[in-house]
Amino acid sequence: MWAEEGAVMRTVRILLPALLAILVGGCSQVMPGTAEPSRGSELSEVFGVQVPPGDRQKLDLAEQIRSVDPCGFFDQAKIATYGQISTVGPWQRIGECRLGFLQNDRNQYHSAVLVELESSPPRSSETTTKQIAGEAVTVSPDRAFSGECAYTVPLRFPAVSGGGQSNPDIVEVPAVAYALVRTMGFTPKSFGCTVAEETVANVVTAFREQRIPRRARPLVAVPLTQRSPCEIMAHLPPNHHVIRFDAEVTPYECKFTVNLPNATGPRTDDLVGVSFKASSAGSAMAPVSGYQVEQINGKPALTKRDQNSAGPLCYVEFPVGPVVDGYLPGTPATDGAIKSARIQVMVKLTGNCTVTDRLVPPAMDLFGANR
């Protein structure tokens, strides 16, 4: 956040505490899936940046999400009675887990159930809820595959009290974490809904009983899942400074604005995006859509430069860690299913080329780019 913005907000809170209490008092309660909101009025340092309590809470919640192993929510023993499990692991995002199996009445095509921890809140159009294991979960048909079932589930992390001096005039609206549970490829589709609801119940029960599966002991090890892309903010090159950072509950994506010296003297601002993504292992380093393969400090990377009115915009991606192979050897699976179960974790940076050219080398060192 802007330092000036923080000062203005503190002034407003001093002048209008009664008005604030009226306007936002109704949002002061702890909402489903939240850590207890911090009441401190002091800024705290995270990733080398000073943030207010509300932003600190979002970053803490993102850290809690990164600590969870989504593969641990599946009852594999029960699913094995429905068919032979052949794949377990991430598919399109590193913060998800997909379990694929061959239904007992099939010879080839797989069904799958997914738990995605990078989910956004329920959409305004999603107004229907369903009680599952004592929790009101949102029915999310717009996020479902081909008319199958999808549910958005609040993640009730144990409350964590924030530090700092209590200030009754400040009411923070707590951030909320959600998981998306959905199915694909089931026949009949109602069977997929049953499996989805059983998995939702596993998620709800695990949080309620504080038996949350953790990445510290993962079912499937995935590089960078316990790291934050925001770590790069504490490792910027000399004369580069973060001048704006709007924190979000996005565990594997980070955006911030950098201020750096311009060659002609004035200073220019630039929005930088850093994210961790999952790419198909077979094509992760394929130079498509205008990308080309380059060596940066002896490490392979995909790079792309686009021209716009503000100067060249750069996209850089580089692989980190070994290929994650979620296929269980010897189990029945199509070539497509085996291929989709193999992913490569990538780090992606975007921004004005003047900035990204300087940020990529320290990012490669920080996150452990492959050679």
Side-chain angles (χ1 to χ4, degrees):
M1 301 289 287
W2 294 98
E4 293 84 358
E5 183 183 13
V8 171
M9 289 305 297
R10 286 193 293 274
T11 302
V12 172
R13 286 165 176 162
I14 292 172
L15 293 176
L16 301 174
L19 179 59
L20 279 173
I22 293 172
L23 291 176
V24 299
C27 298
S28 62
Q29 74 272 19
V30 176
M31 298 172 64
T34 71
E36 184 177 339
S38 169
R39 300 294 184 182
S41 59
E42 299 293 330
L43 297 177
S44 58
E45 183 174 317
V46 185
F47 305 123
V49 177
Q50 297 292 321
V51 299
D55 280 4
R56 177 59 186 262
Q57 186 208 0
K58 293 178 183 178
L59 296 173
D60 288 347
L61 185 55
E63 183 176 358
Q64 291 199 67
I65 295 171
R66 286 190 292 271
S67 75
V68 178
D69 179 11
C71 292
F73 292 116
F74 298 123
D75 184 344
Q76 292 200 37
K78 187 169 187 178
I79 293 177
T81 66
Y82 303 148
Q84 189 168 6
I85 298 172
S86 58
T87 62
V88 183
W91 178 38
Q92 295 180 328
R93 301 180 178 182
I94 69 169
E96 71 181 5
C97 189
R98 180 184 66 165
L99 183 149
F101 67 97
L102 188 65
Q103 290 181 216
N104 288 328
D105 57 351
R106 287 187 180 176
N107 295 320
Q108 185 174 14
Y109 295 106
H110 283 67
S111 306
V113 55
L114 297 89
V115 175
E116 305 170 27
L117 297 182
E118 301 175 68
S119 179
S120 56
R123 299 170 181 172
S124 58
S125 61
E126 298 174 342
T127 58
T128 302
T129 61
K130 183 171 185 175
Q131 288 288 325
I132 300 179
E135 177 70 82
V137 301
T138 302
V139 180
S140 301
D142 291 344
R143 308 189 198 194
F145 293 106
S146 302
E148 298 199 34
C149 281
Y151 299 100
T152 303
V153 188
L155 302 180
R156 297 181 180 273
F157 286 99
V160 178
S161 299
Q165 183 177 356
S166 176
N167 187 336
D169 295 332
I170 299 176
V171 181
E172 300 289 358
V173 178
V176 184
Y178 293 93
L180 178 64
V181 177
R182 52 184 176 168
T183 55
M184 59 187 298
F186 278 83
T187 52
K189 296 185 186 300
S190 59
F191 176 40
C193 294
T194 297
V195 176
E197 291 174 13
E198 291 173 349
T199 304
V200 168
N202 295 341
V203 174
V204 171
T205 302
F207 274 83
R208 178 182 298 137
E209 299 179 357
Q210 297 189 25
R211 297 184 292 102
I212 306 171
R214 299 293 185 179
R215 292 277 190 188
R217 300 181 64 182
L219 191 65
V220 179
V222 182
L224 296 182
T225 46
Q226 292 182 272
R227 302 283 300 275
S228 169
C230 290
E231 293 175 29
I232 190 62
M233 293 193 298
H235 298 270
L236 299 181
N239 299 321
H240 291 62
H241 307 284
V242 175
I243 59 172
R244 185 181 181 96
F245 172 49
D246 296 317
E248 299 292 344
V249 186
T250 48
Y252 302 114
E253 183 178 13
C254 187
K255 296 180 180 179
F256 53 93
T257 303
V258 172
N259 184 280
L260 71 160
N262 193 311
T264 60
R267 301 177 72 86
T268 58
D269 299 343
D270 186 70
L271 179 66
V272 176
V274 184
S275 60
F276 302 157
K277 54 177 286 189
S279 294
S280 175
S283 58
M285 290 298 294
V288 297
S289 302
Y291 279 89
Q292 60 183 8
V293 179
E294 292 187 16
Q295 292 288 319
I296 301 177
N297 292 345
K299 301 171 184 177
L302 289 173
T303 65
K304 177 181 177 181
R305 291 175 181 257
D306 285 341
Q307 293 293 332
N308 60 29
S309 58
L313 183 65
C314 275
Y315 305 83
V316 181
E317 300 184 20
F318 56 85
V320 173
V323 168
V324 179
D325 191 348
Y327 171 64
L328 305 180
T331 58
T334 63
D335 290 343
I338 295 173
K339 181 180 178 180
S340 67
R342 301 182 74 250
I343 67 105
Q344 173 66 60
V345 174
M346 306 284 287
V347 175
K348 181 175 182 178
L349 288 85
T350 62
N352 186 286
C353 295
T354 303
V355 179
T356 55
D357 286 347
R358 294 177 172 89
L359 287 185
V360 170
M364 285 182 153
D365 292 338
L366 176 64
F367 297 122
N370 293 351
R371 289 192 175 275

